[in-house]
Amino acid sequence: MAKLCVNIDHIATLRQARGENFPSVIQAAKIVEKTGCDGVTVHLREDRRHIQDKDVIDLKKILKTKLNLEMSINKNIVDFALKVIPVEATLVPEKRQELTTEGGLNVIRYKSKLKKIIKIFHQKGIIVSLFINPDLKQINSAKEVNADFIEIHTGHYANAKNKREIEKEFMKIKKAVYYAKKTGLRVNAGHGLNYDNVKRIAQIKEIEDLNIGFSIIARTLFTGLENAIKEMLKII
Ligand code: PXP
């Protein structure tokens, strides 16, 4: 059965919007662990729009499960990861203007750079996953650079507009998962997964972790809003 790693970036988005010290990502991470998830995922973006360096350092200290750090291959971020040593590093492409990670990493293009980074990460005991589109050529390169995992980008499947498109994107994912397993890579998946579209992906038994963030954090507003208002009314 696929396990769940919850991406808690948007707890930090809310905190940064007011420059407060709450809501706390540590408190969120503790809830993620208490509910039996496989780990906590955060993306330390180059522009630090949500997760901050201190969040990653604090999470590494308190987590009993897995810290999966999503990160670009920018030198400063790589150096930071080498200091913190997350259990797993998921390498992603990053553009300043994007709202979220838009596409998969071009492993073919950055082959030699990735090979070097992965070698250093392995020396520090960091498991390395490469976030890629369901593309067989990218999978071959992921194997060549000695990645442990690939994370299949499920964004195109999640954004597909009609049944035929959904089916097409789903089949690409399935084919990529089987192909990656055959080449000896382990497989995670994520991006854009929500309460409506996750089931079919979760049924692909070769997938180990699903990294899901936005839909879960967005859902908490309406599973928690009523109680939050009631608590305030009681005090007033
Ligand atoms: N996996 C990767 C590599 C990501 O970059 C993200 C977004 O930060 C996710 C999973 C989670 O995506 P979502 O927030 O759409 O669930």
Side-chain angles (χ1 to χ4, degrees), residues 143-161:
K143 184 65 190 164
E144 282 173 41
V145 298
N146 297 319
D148 304 289
F149 278 84
I150 55 162
E151 178 175 334
I152 303 264
H153 191 323
T154 50
H156 296 294
Y157 159 76
N159 291 333
K161 292 281 174 284

Side-chain angles (χ1 to χ4, degrees), residues 7 9-10 41 43 45 50 70 90 92 100-101 131 151 189-193 211-215:
N7 180 315
D9 290 350
H10 296 305
T41 298
H43 185 172
R45 293 189 72 99
H50 38 55
E70 289 173 0
T90 299
V92 303
T100 181
T101 318
F131 184 56
E151 178 175 334
H191 210 284
L193 295 176
N211 288 303
I212 308 180
F214 188 72
S215 63

Side-chain angles (χ1 to χ4, degrees), residues 150-235:
I150 55 162
E151 178 175 334
I152 303 264
H153 191 323
T154 50
H156 296 294
Y157 159 76
N159 291 333
K161 292 281 174 284
N162 53 55
K163 246 184 159 172
R164 215 188 56 154
E165 227 183 278
I166 294 170
E167 200 55 34
K168 192 175 119 208
E169 293 301 328
F170 179 73
M171 290 317 293
K172 269 195 218 165
I173 292 171
K174 223 171 157 178
K175 198 170 154 196
V177 172
Y178 294 150
Y179 186 76
K181 284 297 284 184
K182 254 213 243 153
T183 66
L185 286 158
R186 298 170 72 183
V187 184
N188 297 327
H191 210 284
L193 295 176
N194 61 37
Y195 295 83
D196 297 319
N197 64 22
V198 72
K199 203 167 178 176
R200 295 184 78 187
I201 301 292
Q203 279 168 346
I204 305 174
K205 63 180 192 318
E206 287 77 8
I207 295 177
E208 297 192 31
D209 282 343
L210 295 174
N211 288 303
I212 308 180
F214 188 72
S215 63
I216 294 176
I217 305 303
R219 173 75 57 117
T220 63
L221 292 178
F222 299 113
T223 50
L225 189 58
E226 192 173 330
N227 277 339
I229 295 170
K230 280 181 184 161
E231 272 181 50
M232 186 57 83
L233 279 173
K234 211 164 144 195
I235 299 165

